[in-house]
């Protein structure tokens, strides 16, 4: 079975629409699953990255939680080493922590992104992770 078929079989939520290229390197897709922040105090997206794709550095004033559902990828908080992620991993990102996340160079990657306390404000998008830094991940 090839990796594309494995990803397709592991996606349990809709893949969604192609994400805004202003905030990503490579192709990514996002589907909003929960958008009623006033009632639930969270927003939830299913995000899928092609191999090598990742989002720019960014921060969330209310924090974020990632629930990895498929593939292999990375999360890195500013000043910390990158952490390799696999299906079943959970990442709790404290409010205002500058970070990025995305696929490994050789793997699709999908996760649920939970925006916690969204009434504190939306994501602040910053610069892309330099390609050289991404290529040096272990």
């Amino acid at each position: 079975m090839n990796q594309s078929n494995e990803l397709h079989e592991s996606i349990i939520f809709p893949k969604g629409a192609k994400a805004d290229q202003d905030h990503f390197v490579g192709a990514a897709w996002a589907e909003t699953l929960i958008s009623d922040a006033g009632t639930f105090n969270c927003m939830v997206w299913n995000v899928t990255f092609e191999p090598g794709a990742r989002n720019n550095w960014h921060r969330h004033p209310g924090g974020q939680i990632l629930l990895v559902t498929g593939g292999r990828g990375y999360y890195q908080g500013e000043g910390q080493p990158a952490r390799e992620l696999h299906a079943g991993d959970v990442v709790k990102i404290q409010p205002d922590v500058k970070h990025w996340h995305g696929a490994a160079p050789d793997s699709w990657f999908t996760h649920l992104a939970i925006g916690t306390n969204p009434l504190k404000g939306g994501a602040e998008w910053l610069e892309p992770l330099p390609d050289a830094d991404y290529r040096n991940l272990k």
Side-chain angles (χ1 to χ4, degrees):
M1 179 182 299
N2 70 34
Q3 193 173 55
S4 181
N5 286 340
E6 289 174 16
L7 173 73
H8 179 42
E9 291 176 5
S10 72
I11 294 179
I12 52 179
F13 298 104
K15 185 175 173 184
K18 197 160 190 184
D20 181 352
Q21 286 302 118
D22 290 341
H23 305 307
F24 290 82
V25 173
W29 295 262
E31 175 72 15
T32 302
L33 302 177
I34 297 174
S35 63
D36 189 350
T39 299
F40 296 108
N41 198 31
C42 72
M43 297 180 71
V44 181
W45 298 268
N46 183 58
V47 184
T48 303
F49 299 85
E50 72 177 359
R54 65 242 185 226
N55 52 32
N56 290 0
W57 287 99
H58 61 286
R59 58 175 54 99
H60 302 271
Q64 185 178 47
I65 299 169
L66 305 177
L67 305 175
V68 180
T69 57
R72 187 169 63 87
Y74 293 98
Y75 162 80
Q76 184 176 20
E78 184 176 41
Q80 302 295 316
R83 173 180 161 194
E84 188 170 298
L85 300 174
H86 302 273
D89 286 340
V90 176
V91 180
K92 299 175 196 172
I93 305 163
Q94 294 297 312
D96 291 318
V97 170
K98 183 177 175 181
H99 66 280
W100 69 271
H101 35 101
D106 60 349
S107 178
W108 285 83
F109 180 62
T110 185
H111 64 56
L112 296 179
I114 303 170
T116 56
N117 306 300
L119 299 178
K120 291 186 175 185
E124 176 188 0
W125 290 99
L126 305 165
E127 73 279 0
L129 175 73
D131 289 340
D133 292 353
Y134 180 76
R135 283 192 303 270
N136 289 328
L137 293 174
K138 302 287 183 221

